[in-house]
Amino acid sequence: MISLSKKIIVTGSNRGIGYAICKRLIDDGFNIIMVDYDSDVANTARKIKTGNNSAEGVVCDVSDYNSCQKAFENYKGDDIYGIVNNAGINRDTLFKNMTYQEWDAVIKTDLYSVFNITKVFIDSMIKNNCGRIVNVSSASWQGNIGQANYAAAKAGIIGFTKTLARELGKYNIKTNAIIPGFIKTPMTDSVPENIREKFIDKIPLKKIGLPEDVANAVSFLMNEKSKYINGALIDVGGGLVL
Ligand code: NDP
């Protein structure tokens, strides 16, 4: 049985999908650590907390290895049950126009972050012989015009997920990835109306997903009911990519 007193870390959780994941995990009875580079995250954690569960906010730039090591030096060996590597950004433009800075920022935030955060906690998870890692990829991992940087990072996450699933299964640590399609968050709010309409037209369910739809999938992957699921890609895209 999972002890619900254990903690789950969720990166990029001050808003959007990460915030919805935290809300859901709190409702599920977990304690959470919300990580974001927005300094308001401690405040957000205070507001999200309900009942006896703890919620704390940690300000950290997850794209930076040293920031992660420093931000969590007091947490090492803590009772960490789960990691949700959710933080991500996009800097969309055609490859011919893409600058090194746009490439670098997306790869560091969306892919290096997954290494940086997982690295901090993996030894204690192995010692506990228990844990769940959920990595948030994207339907764009298969390639998408204007997203060479983002697609490369999100495809990298899948290789990472499947490798950890193979390496860590023997320690009772399950590693899976979520593949969101088009979800309504501040990240997608800036998508122009005509492009949004084109996306909706491609989705068999004919509507944009909600952050809560992704949060429900994460909740399942943190739950005892998913104990035999390891190395899976859970699609939350309404059928956008089949
Ligand atoms: P949002 O931009 O709405 O939220 C992302 C959060 O991550 C923000 O709070 C942001 O902080 C934080 N963040 C960004 N960079 C860092 C960093 N270096 N260190 C710490 N925190 C950081 O994005 P979404 O909620 O839409 O996306 C969440 C994840 O889901 C991302 O990985 C994204 O790629 C993925 N995804 C989203 C889809 C969608 O349709 N929305 C579709 C497919 C995948 P701040 O507010 O300060 O910028």
Side-chain angles (χ1 to χ4, degrees):
M1 276 291 289
I2 295 165
S3 158
L4 293 185
S5 65
K6 289 184 175 175
K7 288 182 179 164
I8 298 179
I9 293 172
V10 184
T11 68
S13 46
N14 199 45
R15 68 181 204 192
I17 291 172
Y19 178 82
I21 291 170
C22 289
K23 229 167 165 327
R24 178 59 206 256
L25 293 176
I26 283 263
D27 287 349
D28 287 349
F30 288 106
N31 297 320
I32 52 163
I33 302 175
M34 305 178 79
V35 184
D36 207 286
Y37 64 9
D38 190 322
S39 58
D40 200 37
V41 69
N43 213 6
T44 309
R46 259 191 303 278
K47 287 191 204 145
I48 210 174
K49 182 185 160 355
T50 54
N52 292 327
N53 301 65
S54 72
E56 47 193 308
V58 174
V59 179
C60 170
D61 176 359
V62 294
S63 70
D64 182 71
Y65 180 78
N66 292 327
S67 291
C68 294
Q69 291 287 322
K70 196 161 184 296
F72 294 104
E73 57 195 0
N74 297 331
Y75 288 82
K76 280 183 191 156
D78 206 338
D79 220 2
I80 300 299
Y81 165 69
I83 302 174
V84 184
N85 285 306
N86 165 76
I89 58 167
N90 57 355
R91 298 286 181 269
D92 297 354
T93 184
L94 292 176
F95 180 67
K96 68 185 175 65
N97 303 325
M98 191 174 286
T99 62
Y100 176 77
Q101 285 72 23
E102 286 164 338
W103 168 264
D104 192 51
V106 171
I107 298 293
K108 285 211 176 100
T109 306
D110 295 32
L111 183 58
Y112 278 37
S113 63
V114 176
F115 174 89
N116 295 342
I117 289 290
T118 309
K119 200 69 186 161
V120 173
F121 300 104
I122 201 60
D123 288 344
S124 59
M125 288 169 89
I126 289 174
K127 204 168 88 215
N128 293 342
N129 200 45
C130 160
R132 305 282 170 99
I133 301 170
V134 177
N135 299 318
V136 179
S137 178
S138 162
S140 297
W141 79 274
Q142 300 191 56
N144 197 21
I145 289 172
Q147 292 195 313
N149 45 4
Y150 189 75
K154 295 300 187 180
I157 285 178
I158 290 176
F160 179 83
T161 300
K162 287 183 175 283
T163 301
L164 262 57
R166 289 177 196 273
E167 290 186 10
L168 303 177
K170 66 180 173 223
Y171 304 113
N172 193 30
I173 298 169
K174 289 107 190 187
T175 311
N176 295 290
I178 306 266
I179 317 286
F182 195 94
I183 309 293
K184 185 176 172 16
T185 70
M187 183 189 264
T188 50
D189 281 347
S190 57
V191 173
E193 197 52 36
N194 60 329
I195 300 190
R196 180 185 298 266
E197 290 305 321
K198 276 191 192 151
F199 260 111
I200 294 174
D201 199 46
K202 278 197 222 159
I203 302 169
L205 294 183
K206 299 293 172 209
K207 56 181 167 193
I208 291 176
L210 298 176
E212 291 73 23
D213 295 320
V214 180
N216 286 338
V218 174
S219 163
F220 172 66
L221 290 174
M222 289 295 174
N223 190 282
E224 186 65 10
K225 287 184 180 147
S226 63
K227 68 183 189 327
Y228 201 62
I229 298 180
N230 185 33
L233 310 182
I234 309 287
D235 190 298
V236 187
L240 173 64
V241 179
L242 294 173

